[in-house]
Amino acid sequence: MAPTIFIVLALLSIAESTVGKGGGLKLELIQRRLSPGNVSPMAAKSQIWPETSEFIVKIAVGTPPTEVHVILYTGSDLFWAQCRPCAKCYRQTNPIYDPSKSSTFRTLSCKSPQCHLRGSGAACSGTDTCKYGYGYGSGSTQGELATEKMAVTSRSGATTPFSGVVFGCGHNNSGTFNANEMGLIGFGRGAISFVSQIGPSVGGRKFSLCLMPYNTDPRISSSLSIGSGSEVKGPGVITAQLVRTPDQTSYSLTLTGISVGKTLVPYSMSGPPAKGNAVLDTGTPPTLLPKELYGRLAAEVRRHIPSKPVDDDTLCYKDNLGDLVMTLHFEGGVDLRLSTVQTFNKMSDGSFCFTAMGVDDKDALIGNSMMANFLVGYDIDNMTVSFKPTDCTKIG
């Protein structure tokens, strides 16, 4: 089944990378407003910038290189970018990647094992060229699978290359992308995901990222690290075991309940399920909860906040949230304590709005707003995720 993504608000960007002395690759994460090669085993690091709700990576593709800005998404595997010729492409500010101008672009044959890597979305009917198709909650992409040279560049100008990376050359793309978003880079658990492909050359299939809160100044950046050296360790770290589910892409934990202050709101009031699956999703801003659970949680939040909401239909407040503390309870005795930075987004008008909403689904999804100001480490091979409270605006 094709993965689902909900692109609700704005998107973030990863721009620059440095290769650390004792680790892998480190990239810069940037937040924007809504208006594998011959590399020694070490962690890759890049920056992250805030754009109010999601995150983007700047990567050089091809020879000579075209810089592409793609959405960072843990709920998908495939890395794809808009490509010429476009049968249908949404409007894009930067030049669209043109494979005919790259000397390192190679389309994949249907007979190639790389065409059939888990998470590729490959389709091979009636042609020898490895086609792909991916559907999202807000659109879709179709094109051909190919290999290409990729590179990330540090602030100092040092470039880290990766040869033969499998990606999707998208000729038919639609969705709620804005003109600065040129595609999507999957950081899921599948074999075709970017982290799975470059992981062996940088010290392992693991990465960590630190997402800034909603409405962070876009000039402030954070970081994304891949490989050895990206591990989240030290005082205050909480580590949970990921759950193996039929979905072999997403990062899932078992949620047993949510506390508001000292009051526990259990996942279910009566009968099974007394617990539910919760997916960690960097590509969806709000946390999505089953409607029945959300209703009970919202009532408890209202009870704990001293002021009245702006209106009866929302959990938006002008001020005075009080000392509200919420805790996510995961199976195995793992408790993740949340402050109002994670549970309420500060809006442009100065009000504060709850970062969760109710949906018609039996499972939960922990959105990127609720993961803000945590350094989060994902280890695919050991199936763990670690959280460390961190001011993500100060670690770029």
Side-chain angles (χ1 to χ4, degrees):
M1 179 180 294
T4 299
I5 178 175
F6 298 86
I7 300 176
V8 180
L9 296 175
L11 301 168
L12 231 83
S13 307
I14 303 175
E16 302 176 4
S17 74
T18 57
V19 179
K21 293 181 179 179
L25 192 65
K26 186 172 183 179
L27 300 94
E28 189 174 28
L29 290 179
I30 310 168
Q31 197 177 43
R32 192 184 298 148
R33 298 287 173 192
L34 182 57
S35 19
N38 182 21
V39 183
S40 59
M42 55 175 61
K45 190 168 185 178
S46 174
Q47 291 175 298
I48 304 176
W49 284 267
E51 162 114 3
T52 55
S53 74
E54 294 185 12
F55 307 82
I56 294 179
V57 187
K58 290 182 183 176
I59 293 186
V61 178
T63 308
T66 295
E67 186 176 78
V68 299
H69 304 179
V70 282
I71 302 163
L72 171 66
Y73 184 42
T74 55
S76 182
D77 290 318
L78 185 65
F79 173 10
W80 65 269
Q82 295 209 111
C83 285
R84 295 192 183 279
C86 283
K88 179 184 178 183
C89 286
Y90 55 86
R91 189 175 70 85
Q92 180 175 305
T93 300
N94 292 321
I96 293 176
Y97 168 75
D98 187 346
S100 69
K101 295 182 179 180
S102 173
S103 62
T104 46
F105 177 84
R106 302 287 185 273
T107 56
L108 289 176
S109 161
C110 282
K111 297 177 182 178
S112 168
Q114 291 170 298
C115 174
H116 304 285
L117 291 174
R118 179 161 57 84
S120 68
C124 280
S125 58
T127 177
D128 183 54
T129 301
C130 184
K131 305 289 186 179
Y132 80 89
Y134 251 58
Y136 300 96
S138 60
S140 64
T141 175
Q142 295 177 336
E144 59 192 3
L145 289 179
T147 59
E148 184 55 287
K149 181 180 180 180
M150 310 283 177
V152 288
T153 304
S154 70
R155 287 181 176 178
S156 66
T159 298
T160 306
F162 300 95
S163 299
V165 177
V166 180
F167 84 115
C169 195
H171 302 296
N172 193 328
N173 318 297
S174 63
T176 55
F177 300 96
N178 69 39
N180 294 314
E181 299 151 9
M182 303 163 68
L184 183 149
I185 187 166
F187 265 67
R189 296 188 292 117
I192 206 167
S193 78
F194 188 73
V195 66
S196 290
Q197 289 193 68
I198 75 165
S201 65
V202 294
R205 295 196 308 156
K206 49 193 169 184
F207 64 99
S208 61
L209 68 165
C210 204
L211 307 182
M212 293 84 77
Y214 188 90
N215 262 331
T216 294
D217 186 328
R219 295 170 295 181
I220 297 174
S221 65
S222 183
S223 64
L224 162 72
S225 297
I226 308 170
S228 70
S230 67
E231 301 86 353
V232 176
K233 300 181 290 187
V237 172
I238 297 170
T239 299
Q241 195 69 37
L242 292 165
V243 179
R244 296 188 185 276
T245 65
D247 174 6
Q248 298 183 59
T249 293
S250 300
Y251 301 89
S252 299
L253 297 171
T254 300
L255 183 66
T256 59
I258 304 172
S259 288
V260 183
K262 295 182 180 180
T263 304
L264 174 65
V265 179
Y267 196 89
S268 177
M269 287 299 291
S270 60
K275 55 189 177 183
N277 188 51
V279 174
L280 304 176
D281 191 333
T282 61
T284 303
T287 289
L288 309 178
L289 301 173
K291 278 187 175 178
E292 193 274 337
L293 169 59
Y294 175 78
R296 290 184 286 112
L297 177 65
E300 201 59 43
V301 169
R302 281 192 177 93
R303 193 175 71 83
H304 276 75
I305 294 179
S307 59
K308 291 185 177 181
V310 174
D311 60 65
D312 293 336
D313 296 326
T314 66
L315 284 179
C316 290
Y317 296 82
K318 284 296 184 184
D319 53 26
N320 195 16
L321 297 175
D323 188 22
L324 183 72
V325 174
M326 287 176 49
T327 305
L328 300 177
H329 301 287
F330 298 110
E331 198 168 53
V334 176
D335 298 327
L336 188 64
R337 182 184 171 98
L338 307 175
S339 70
T340 52
V341 171
Q342 289 95 23
T343 55
F344 282 84
N345 283 334
K346 186 175 181 179
M347 313 306 288
S348 57
D349 65 357
S351 63
F352 298 86
C353 292
F354 196 41
T355 58
M357 60 187 293
V359 293
D360 291 319
D361 202 324
K362 63 182 179 63
D363 293 328
L365 182 150
I366 310 300
N368 62 40
S369 290
M370 203 166 275
M371 289 188 279
N373 273 5
F374 283 110
L375 180 60
V376 185
Y378 300 80
D379 190 323
I380 296 172
D381 293 324
N382 292 313
M383 286 292 288
T384 60
V385 61
S386 299
F387 302 88
K388 184 177 184 177
T390 305
D391 185 345
C392 296
T393 66
K394 296 181 178 179
I395 68 167

